[in-house]
Amino acid sequence: MGLSGVGWNDTSKMLVLEIESYCTYVESFPKAKDLLNKPIPHYDDLRIVCGDDHATGDFARSIFDRFGSDDPDTEGNNETPTNELEHESEPPVPPEPNDQQREFPRHTSSASTARTGRASRLSNENFIMDHFGEKFDRLSASIEASNSIEASRPKPWKLMLSDALWSMEGYSDADLDMVFEILRDDRKLAEGFYLRKPSLRKIWLDNFIANQKGSE
C-alpha cells in the first residue's frame, strides 16, 4: 500500500495497481500476481484472525482479586457498611500483601509448568526415538533378509564364467575375449573350465588357447 500507484478497493477487497506498477512489481515478485488486482478471498475472516487488534488491559485482573466477581471495582457494593458515617471521611486503605503471598503462587505455578513442559518434551523425545528405532530395526531386518535371499540364489552360469575367466592373470585381453566368445555359447564347455579349481583352470585355459590358435 505504500508504493506509488497502488490503491485499495474496499468493495471488492482487493489491491488495485496501475498497469505499469503491476508489471514492475510482478517482475520482481512473480508469486504476488495472484494477489494483485484480484479480490482477496475470505478477507473479512482473515482480518479477524490476522487483524491489528491489541490488548488494552480493560479486563485485566490481579491475582489478589476475588474470584467470581465480574468487576473488581464494584466488588463489595452489595454489602451494607455497618457505619457509613464513621468511615465516610476516611479513605479506604487496601491491604498490602506480603512478598511471600505475592511471589509464592507465581513461583509454584511456573515451576510446575516448567516441570510439566520438560516431562512432556522428554516423553515426546522418547516416543520419537522408540518409533524411529523400531522402524530402523524393521528396515535392517528387511535388508538382511533380502541379502540372505540374494546370497542363497545361484549365480547364472555366464556370470560364473566371466568371474572365473576375468580373474585369470598372464593372458592378453584378446586371448581372454576369444575364449569368452566361444564359451558363452557352450555351457557344458564353459562348466568344464570354471568348475575346476584355479590351478587346473590355468592348465585348461593354456591348452584351449593353444588348440584354438593351432586350428586357425
Side-chain angles (χ1 to χ4, degrees), residues 45-53:
D45 295 332
L46 289 172
R47 285 193 61 189
I48 297 175
V49 178
C50 310
D52 57 356
D53 293 339

Side-chain angles (χ1 to χ4, degrees), residues 12-163:
S12 302
K13 310 299 182 186
M14 68 178 185
L15 292 164
V16 181
L17 277 72
E18 298 176 357
I19 297 299
E20 183 178 354
S21 300
Y22 175 84
C23 294
T24 302
Y25 194 81
V26 169
E27 184 178 358
S28 301
F29 304 97
K31 293 183 179 180
K33 64 180 180 180
D34 293 331
L35 302 174
L36 305 177
N37 293 340
K38 296 180 181 180
I40 299 177
H42 311 294
Y43 176 79
D44 292 329
D45 295 332
L46 289 172
R47 285 193 61 189
I48 297 175
V49 178
C50 310
D52 57 356
D53 293 339
H54 60 277
T56 61
D58 291 342
F59 300 98
R61 300 294 300 273
S62 168
I63 63 173
F64 303 106
D65 292 333
R66 293 178 57 187
F67 290 102
S69 174
D70 294 334
D71 188 356
D73 295 334
T74 61
E75 193 173 285
N77 285 348
N78 294 331
E79 300 179 0
T80 304
T82 57
N83 191 348
E84 291 183 356
L85 295 177
E86 180 179 353
H87 300 283
E88 186 176 4
S89 60
E90 298 179 2
V93 180
E96 295 184 0
N98 56 43
D99 293 338
Q100 293 181 348
Q101 290 177 330
R102 188 188 309 273
E103 298 297 333
F104 180 74
R106 299 180 184 178
H107 175 73
T108 303
S109 176
S110 61
S112 175
T113 303
R115 286 195 297 270
T116 303
R118 285 195 295 270
S120 177
R121 287 195 298 272
L122 290 174
S123 177
N124 290 337
E125 291 174 359
N126 291 336
F127 172 77
I128 292 173
M129 293 300 295
D130 292 342
H131 177 73
F132 279 102
E134 182 181 353
K135 293 290 186 181
F136 182 77
D137 291 341
R138 291 181 181 178
L139 179 61
S140 299
S142 177
I143 294 175
E144 290 178 359
S146 299
N147 292 339
S148 178
I149 294 174
E150 192 67 27
S152 61
R153 186 178 301 168
K155 280 186 178 182
W157 69 272
K158 289 186 177 180
L159 181 59
M160 296 178 67
L161 169 64
S162 63
D163 289 344

